Amino acid sequence: MMDSVIFLVDIQSFYASIEKAQNPSLQYRPVVVSGDPKRRSGIILAACPIAKSYGIKNADTLWEAEQKCPQLVVIRPRMQLYLDISIQLTKILERFSDQVEPYSIDEQFIDVGGSEKLFGPPLVIAQKIQQAIWEEHHLYARIGIGPNKVLAKMACDHFAKKNKQGIFWLTTANFQEHLWPLPIENMFGVGRRMSRNLRQMGIRTIGGLAHFPIELLKKRFGINGNVLWMTANGIDLSPVSTHSFDHQKAIGHHMTLPRDYRTAEEIRVILLELCEEVCRRARTHHLLGKTLHVSCRGADFEIPTGFHRQITLADFTNQTMVLFKQAWQLFLRYWNEQAIRSLGIQLSKLIPDNLIQFSLFENENKQIKIGYVMDDIKKRFGDTAILRAISLTSAGQAIERSQKIGGHYK
């Protein structure tokens, strides 16, 4: 069977590059996109290549970045603009293939295996994609090419981003030569903790992992050990799918608080708002969930504290108050009564909401329907058209969040 030809198209410094394209006067200046430090979101979300030349990295604090480059141009994120352009980039890719899968806001997979008769060989297609994106949006695309998604991703991250052409092709014939000498930390799917575990086992390179006995990896890491071995050997069976986001495994929402929340009364407000948002998303997708996850992080950076716990609910639900009552009990059980700086809720084990019958009790049916009615009001008149009174207290964040996308102003 012939190899597939899959691209991973990544836009360089996506947010910062968009801001430069929108304002040509910034072309030769060090630009970063950063959240608001007054609301604890003052970290670098994107830095242009000029800013990176000063040693500035994504996730640096704004204070650190300004120390490295006093003449830094700082721009607040415009998330709606970035989302709109991401969608426009998808439409450009769809001119070359109908198999396009968004991977993140600035990365997309595209299978061009059936496009060569129309547009030429893979390297020519990659150049045409680069040219189209540059001409229409003045954004520079880096493209990794591979026989599957995992090799396309690593071709982009480790090679295309570092050469002048911005294009690199890993094949089944050459990936061992290029990938296997790289440190194990460079492999897709290996984070800090996993790299530490692998190094303790004597595995220091991707090639070392590829040659490690698979049975020992499975014994240590379970099914993930098998996935790690396959990745190291350039094996990935997942196709490019236009439906990758159609079936959600979980719905969640996490919030970094604008200040330390110290009292149960304050935290209770945020927990209710998070449950409201998670249940609204579940109802929007006509889903119910049965496993509840609650997580929080303590306010003390010196001594990290917090927890992540989950419980199985008695019944599948997408009702805000049902979820909140269980979440509050779970939170109180594990909270150490110290100040917290972030809080999260997740609902998993999802099923369609038409798979269960309504209760025999009329009052419960009304409660179920109320959530959908509230969602309809918000959809028609805005997120703040109807609010719980508790969100109007000083601890509430619902009104503030209604003006944001992804935690940042639209």
Side-chain angles (χ1 to χ4, degrees):
M1 181 180 294
M2 294 181 63
D3 287 342
S4 298
V5 181
I6 294 174
F7 293 179
L8 188 280
V9 181
D10 169 270
I11 305 300
Q12 182 182 55
S13 307
F14 188 55
Y15 300 166
S17 294
I18 289 174
E19 296 296 346
K20 284 195 166 190
Q22 297 276 315
N23 185 355
S25 68
L26 298 175
Q27 182 177 0
Y28 300 107
R29 302 183 66 186
V31 172
V32 297
V33 175
S34 171
D36 184 357
K38 295 180 181 177
R39 296 190 60 82
R40 279 188 168 166
S41 54
I43 62 170
I44 303 303
L45 303 176
C48 75
I50 298 174
K52 288 179 179 177
S53 70
Y54 288 86
I56 296 171
K57 305 183 296 296
N58 290 354
D60 280 354
T61 65
L62 181 56
W63 179 86
E64 290 173 324
E66 290 176 327
Q67 291 292 309
K68 295 175 182 177
C69 179
Q71 66 269 36
L72 197 63
V73 178
V74 181
I75 299 175
R76 294 287 175 260
R78 297 189 285 173
M79 299 307 297
Q80 188 61 60
L81 173 64
Y82 308 151
L83 288 169
D84 291 343
I85 291 179
S86 180
I87 292 170
Q88 292 169 28
L89 295 177
T90 301
K91 292 178 179 178
I92 291 177
L93 298 183
E94 287 173 344
R95 299 175 197 165
F96 296 88
S97 171
D98 60 354
Q99 297 299 306
V100 178
E101 178 184 342
Y103 181 67
S104 66
I105 193 170
D106 63 339
E107 295 177 297
Q108 307 196 43
F109 288 109
I110 172 173
D111 188 337
V112 299
S115 304
E116 295 179 53
K117 290 184 179 179
L118 291 173
F119 302 105
L123 289 174
V124 172
I125 297 175
Q127 291 167 353
K128 289 181 177 179
I129 288 174
Q130 276 187 329
Q131 183 178 2
I133 291 174
W134 177 258
E135 289 178 352
E136 296 180 37
H137 293 283
H138 291 284
L139 301 174
Y140 177 48
R142 288 83 60 87
I143 301 175
I145 308 174
N148 53 50
K149 292 199 289 188
V150 74
L151 286 181
K153 171 68 173 169
M154 290 194 284
C156 184
D157 288 349
H158 301 307
F159 305 104
K161 290 183 179 181
K162 298 176 182 179
N163 66 25
K164 292 182 179 180
Q165 295 76 28
I167 299 171
F168 194 86
W169 194 349
L170 280 178
T171 68
T172 52
N174 71 14
F175 85 91
Q176 297 176 5
E177 172 191 350
H178 293 289
L179 280 184
W180 279 4
L182 298 180
I184 191 62
E185 292 81 7
N186 286 22
M187 195 180 87
F188 178 74
V190 174
R192 185 180 303 173
R193 181 179 298 179
M194 179 57 72
S195 69
R196 184 169 63 247
N197 290 334
L198 293 172
R199 283 187 172 273
Q200 288 173 351
M201 297 170 66
I203 301 171
R204 293 175 172 78
T205 65
I206 296 177
L209 177 59
H211 290 94
F212 201 83
I214 187 172
E215 292 304 323
L216 295 180
L217 291 170
K218 288 162 62 176
K219 184 177 181 180
R220 174 72 183 274
F221 303 112
I223 192 170
N224 194 39
N226 188 68
V227 173
L228 289 168
W229 183 89
M230 290 176 64
T231 301
N233 282 281
I235 302 169
D236 178 15
L237 304 179
S238 59
V240 172
S241 172
T242 59
H243 305 288
S244 57
F245 294 101
D246 289 357
H247 305 288
Q248 288 185 272
K249 295 183 179 179
I251 295 174
H253 195 69
H254 185 275
M255 187 189 307
T256 298
L257 303 170
R259 56 180 173 80
D260 294 346
Y261 276 46
R262 302 179 179 279
T263 68
E265 290 75 15
E266 288 184 318
I267 296 169
R268 188 170 178 268
V269 175
I270 298 300
L271 199 66
L272 177 55
E273 291 184 343
L274 289 172
C275 289
E276 184 90 83
E277 177 63 18
V278 168
C279 286
R280 182 192 66 78
R281 293 181 185 175
R283 292 189 295 264
T284 298
H285 292 90
H286 296 283
L287 296 171
L288 302 162
K290 198 172 185 181
T291 301
L292 166 67
H293 308 250
V294 177
S295 60
C296 86
R297 187 187 306 169
D300 192 340
F301 281 101
E302 300 293 329
I303 307 175
T305 59
F307 61 84
H308 179 99
R309 295 291 186 273
Q310 68 181 56
I311 58 170
T312 299
L313 305 174
D315 297 296
F316 288 90
T317 189
N318 60 19
Q319 292 184 61
T320 297
M321 294 312 298
V322 171
L323 196 69
F324 169 68
K325 289 175 182 177
Q326 296 295 324
W328 185 234
Q329 291 178 13
L330 188 60
F331 177 82
L332 291 177
R333 189 183 309 162
Y334 294 101
W335 182 41
N336 61 5
E337 299 189 7
Q338 300 298 311
I340 68 169
R341 70 181 307 269
S342 68
L343 193 62
I345 292 289
Q346 188 179 79
L347 187 62
S348 64
K349 198 175 181 183
L350 304 175
I351 64 169
D353 63 2
N354 60 1
L355 292 186
I356 66 168
Q357 294 180 339
F358 277 139
S359 168
L360 295 174
F361 301 98
E362 183 65 24
N363 187 56
E364 185 173 339
N365 293 340
K366 288 181 178 179
Q367 291 298 319
I368 292 172
K369 293 176 181 177
I370 283 173
Y372 289 94
V373 172
M374 290 176 62
D375 296 342
D376 186 55
I377 292 172
K378 291 182 178 182
K379 183 178 180 180
R380 294 169 61 191
F381 302 107
D383 290 340
T384 58
I386 182 168
L387 290 170
R388 296 182 185 273
I390 200 169
S391 291
L392 300 177
T393 64
S394 60
Q397 295 296 307
I399 295 175
E400 181 79 16
R401 286 192 298 110
S402 69
Q403 304 171 46
K404 298 180 176 182
I405 296 177
H408 302 283
Y409 287 100
K410 301 175 184 179

